[in-house]
Amino acid sequence: MSRYFKYKNAESLLADARSLGLPIRLQSDLSPLLAPARVGGRSVGNRLAIQPMEGCDGNADGTPSDLTFRRYERFGDGGAKLVWGEACAVVPEGRANPRQLVINEANAAELGRLVDTCRRAHREAMRGEDDLLLGLQLTHSGRYSCAKPILAQHDPLLDPRTVMDRTQGTVASPSVPLISDAELDRLQDAYVAAAGLAYRVGFDFIDIKQCHRYLLNELLAARGRPGMYGGSFENRTRFVVQLIARLRDAYPTGIIAARLNVFDGVPFQKGPDGTGIPATFQAPAASAWGTDAEAPVEADLAEPKALVGLMRDAGLDLLNITLGNPYASPHLVRPFEYAPPDGYETPEHPLIGVDRHFRLTAEIQRAYPGLPVVGSGYSWLQAFAFQAGAANVAAGAATFVGIGRGSLSQPDFGRRVAAGQPLDPKRLCRTFSYCTALMRSKHNEAGQFPTGCPPFDKDVYGPIWDQAKR
Ligand SMILES: Cc1cc2nc3c(=O)[nH]c(=O)nc-3n(C[C@H](O)[C@H](O)[C@H](O)COP(=O)(O)O)c2cc1C
């Protein structure tokens, strides 16, 4: 039984929002979602985006597998004109799981085949692909690298929750060395090379991932880090601002995007009744980014806003806003109805989480009205996601509406919205958290189960779910 999502119509959702004091808007006229948008000199056919959704199904060498190809075929066929390809590691030691994609010279041809698969499916479904924008998210998992955590800073809140040695159960202590400035310099070269490969094999844009507390997000918060990449705002943002300038210089026509956390917040944990509660913190909580240090369950957008300005001036073309930490505060990243098996019950009405995404995204979009901005956190709204998205786009509160979990259950949402058809009620993401549960399942020979949507993409992911449960 759904505890929160009980809406038969827009009025009942809006009444709930009003009773919670949330200014969520819905509009039945979806035409704002069908207007083209300009990104980096290209025309993008509609305002519908598929968010980066890792399938954890690459081969051991980091090339895409048959399941990866299937996902991008479905995404291409789906009708959304912005397909934001998933996390792909720029160096093997930066993989978050042993089946994460890796970009390098050896894997380039297969990644190119992934682009072709997505584009071909789009061409066949939509009678044209010139206005499809397909990107790849370049990542280093930092603290969450699966081989060994790689820390940009010591974080009193995350260190005790970061396991350095699984066999001995030791966590990140102050004696664990940080990634050095020289290593970060070399990593910057790896990003430049990876971007070149991605453009060469046909991706329209690359995303410099700075979210969900992976390495470049952690670096933005590294107030206590010594050296040229830590401490002051200028130092903490140096890596990414320099990187964008280098990319602009090396690839003058390549589209540069960033997925950015604008609010990290504090970790949450299971309270006595299973509901999430914030971890104990000592103010000022200086190790989080975009966060009010005195009241770290609230955002403070002053620095994120300033960074967006710096990135734009250096050559950024496209921005995707997100929040939180999927391991430590999943309700911030993806408002959910049902907790993942290892996680806490939502500490707030999911509509509050949806509204947080909308509000913070709107604040950034309104500060930079000329910069195309993608909003996140829509899937919990089920079919109302598009009415909310249309209202946000019409109000100048976002340029694109990004669908994450809902794109696994119903990747063809874009074609349906474009054709004025309702979504298929039998394949609406209900935020059951099966996709997260699979992502967290590691007990097979590969050390990682592939993820997808077991309830609504049953033929493929039903048997995988059965195996993972065993
Ligand atoms: C299975 C799964 C895989 C994900 N993979 C990525 C990823 O590769 N990169 C990323 O930035 N976010 C990733 N996310 C987060 C989503 O892109 C999205 O921000 C989140 O699910 C909230 O949006 P939604 O409410 O539409 O699902 C993933 C989420 C899930 C559940």
Side-chain angles (χ1 to χ4, degrees), residues 78-321:
K81 290 288 184 180
L82 180 59
V83 176
W84 201 294
E86 71 201 66
C88 177
V90 296
V91 287
E93 66 274 20
R95 282 169 116 178
N97 67 71
R99 300 196 64 177
Q100 187 165 55
L101 300 180
V102 179
I103 183 160
N104 54 34
E105 194 62 54
N107 293 356
E110 282 298 275
L111 289 170
R113 213 155 66 76
L114 198 64
V115 173
D116 297 341
T117 302
C118 186
R119 287 202 161 277
R120 189 181 327 108
H122 193 79
R123 193 162 56 238
E124 285 168 11
M126 305 296 287
R127 283 179 253 109
E129 46 144 331
D130 291 349
D131 59 353
L132 168 72
L133 211 67
L134 169 62
L136 186 67
Q137 182 174 68
L138 302 181
T139 194
H140 185 302
S141 303
R143 180 177 290 275
Y144 299 110
S145 300
C146 61
K148 179 168 79 73
I150 296 172
L151 311 180
Q153 70 163 346
H154 282 292
D155 181 336
L157 290 168
L158 292 178
D159 279 9
R161 296 172 167 78
T162 304
V163 180
M164 297 301 296
D165 183 330
R166 284 193 195 85
T167 48
Q168 298 183 22
T170 53
V171 296
S173 66
S175 63
V176 171
L178 304 181
I179 184 172
S180 69
D181 286 1
E183 286 167 310
L184 284 171
D185 289 340
R186 282 197 294 280
L187 186 62
Q188 206 180 60
D189 298 339
Y191 273 92
V192 175
L197 284 176
Y199 293 136
R200 193 184 85 201
V201 301
F203 286 101
D204 301 302
F205 70 91
I206 57 91
D207 158 23
I208 306 166
K209 183 177 195 175
Q210 299 163 74
C211 62
H212 305 157
R213 288 301 290 211
Y214 294 110
L215 186 73
L216 298 191
N217 179 188
E218 179 154 277
L219 204 52
L220 295 176
R223 291 185 182 79
R225 181 188 168 91
M228 64 191 280
Y229 293 115
S232 67
F233 173 76
E234 189 193 355
N235 281 359
R236 286 180 278 124
T237 57
R238 184 188 307 280
F239 185 97
V240 66
V241 174
Q242 239 175 31
L243 173 57
I244 292 174
R246 284 183 67 184
L247 293 173
R248 189 37 77 237
D249 201 40
Y251 315 110
T253 57
I255 296 177
I256 303 171
R259 194 162 204 222
L260 178 69
N261 254 32
V262 295
F263 169 48
D264 292 350
V266 292
F268 274 60
Q269 60 202 34
K270 258 188 198 177
D273 66 351
T275 303
I277 52 169
T280 314
F281 58 83
Q282 253 177 348
S287 59
W289 161 254
T291 302
D292 182 333
E294 296 303 326
V297 291
E298 297 296 335
D300 177 350
L301 293 194
E303 289 198 341
K305 258 190 212 163
L307 172 60
V308 172
L310 292 177
M311 292 198 292
R312 186 202 51 180
D313 294 347
L316 187 78
D317 299 297
L318 175 65
L319 181 67
N320 190 332
I321 301 289

